Amino acid sequence: MNAVVLDEWGGDLSVERVDRPEPGPGEVRVDVRACAVTRTIENAVQGGLADDPALTPRIPGHEFAGVVDAVGDGVSLDVGDRILAYFYLVCGACDHCRRGATNRCTEFEGWYGVNCDGAYAEYAVLPAANALPLPDGTDFAAGAVAADGLATPVHVCERTGVDDTDTVLVVGAAGRIGVHLSQLAALRGAHVVAADVAPERLAHVDDATPATVTPVDASSDDFVSRVHEATPYGTGPTVVVDTVGDVETLRDAFASMAMGGQVVSLTTHHDRVFDAQMKEYVVKEASFHGSRYATKDEVVRAARLFADGRIDPIVRRRVGLDEVPAVHRELRTGETFGTTVVEP
Ligand SMILES: [Zn+2]
């Protein structure tokens, strides 16, 4: 079969012919129909999640959906089942896993597509425990987007309890997390201010989000006052979600935040520090949350939001496996936005 292979962490991707994998006990083989090509995967390719040379060569890719094509021993799924994938390799036995908070697994075993081969391929082997039901009415590309692009926003909204009393400032709104978070927060009744930079990225936000979402140029000198203007009553956002990790923008966003506001960080850059005086938290009664992926339940809920048509999956581009290395080169230089999906 054809697959996109990484020979070493931080190296280049190449399209190669490899053996079709066989599922072992507790695993399924999936006919991959759609896999998102994203910055999270580029970060993994760069060694940002794990950099043990023993883990390469590696087929990356984790945000995918497809059809079960073969099953290993002890698996209750059937050939022909439609699935979408859960990103984390979790133990299933710790307290958090047993309670359903699988994103907090304390015996974490790694990431699909990093610690084992992933889905930039025609076929992928997946632990059956990571093969979640793809609802009827969710097509495969939407399933690939749900697996992380909407599941992560579902978790953010649960962490912060976003509702009709909130104004949510989404920093980096043209990314796949940003456009889907903007839609979800609006669906939950919040006012949404969607911040991004560059005219084509802002145009993408405008096209991809409902009329109730206000795009704001995050690179403008008067960013803080523009956010206030876009906020009902001019009191600033009650929830700030940072999908970018740009510390200066986050500082501006923190300064503009309403009393009792909540900041949510989603990025895992190794070299970023956000410092604010402790009294700033006290005076504003502010909270800072780290938000870690999503539970399995939230991944399926995300797919149902697409199935019901309550949120639109925003796919900007569809490519073949041959084009994946070039898309990653664009991601590396920051020249792309929106979601690209590979359909092997
Ligand atoms: Zn666990």
Side-chain angles (χ1 to χ4, degrees), residues 90-98 102 104-108:
V90 300
C91 76
C94 72
D95 279 4
H96 290 290
C97 281
R98 288 163 68 195
T102 44
R104 294 183 178 179
C105 175
T106 51
E107 303 297 325
F108 187 64

